[in-house]
Amino acid sequence: LHEVAGKAVYMPYVGVMTVPPTQHSGITEQCRLQVNHGLREACRQAVAAPRWTPQGRQFLVDLDALDAGLAPDGVHYGPQGCAEIASKALEALRERLPRAQAA
């Protein structure tokens, strides 16, 4: 999926989001942590040797610190949780965008 997005016309920025925490433990949590490790590693490798998007256009949106309490059913995030996810994504993207130059 990241590769398809990265090869789109106009060389878009591609955000890679980790899987946010849930209120489930055990094997579910172990799988989430393994997936997130793989996503972080893929982003690290892409900086050194870009494959699917030009260097610097892929970025990680790390949701590990998100409060699982913002998911009322323990899995699906409610409005406040979604706002937090959007805020983290915007923050990660802003770090990559060119700075506006003062006149």
Side-chain angles (χ1 to χ4, degrees):
L1 181 62
H2 301 120
E3 183 175 353
V4 171
K7 290 181 177 177
V9 180
Y10 305 115
M11 299 184 309
Y13 285 88
V14 177
V16 177
M17 288 187 163
T18 60
V19 180
T22 67
Q23 295 174 20
H24 297 262
S25 58
I27 190 73
T28 302
E29 178 64 4
Q30 290 174 1
C31 288
R32 184 187 76 81
L33 293 173
Q34 288 176 340
V35 167
N36 286 351
H37 175 75
L39 292 170
R40 285 187 196 95
E41 188 58 32
C43 280
R44 269 189 228 110
Q45 290 175 3
V47 170
R51 288 185 336 211
W52 40 266
T53 188
Q55 188 170 3
R57 294 203 170 260
Q58 67 281 336
F59 61 95
L60 184 70
V61 180
D62 199 337
L63 301 178
D64 249 359
L66 203 62
D67 179 4
L70 297 175
D73 65 358
V75 177
H76 303 98
Y77 283 81
Q80 186 179 358
C82 290
E84 287 288 324
I85 291 170
S87 176
K88 289 182 179 298
L90 180 59
E91 179 183 323
L93 180 58
R94 277 190 175 148
E95 291 175 10
R96 274 110 190 124
L97 295 176
R99 304 258 187 247
Q101 301 218 353

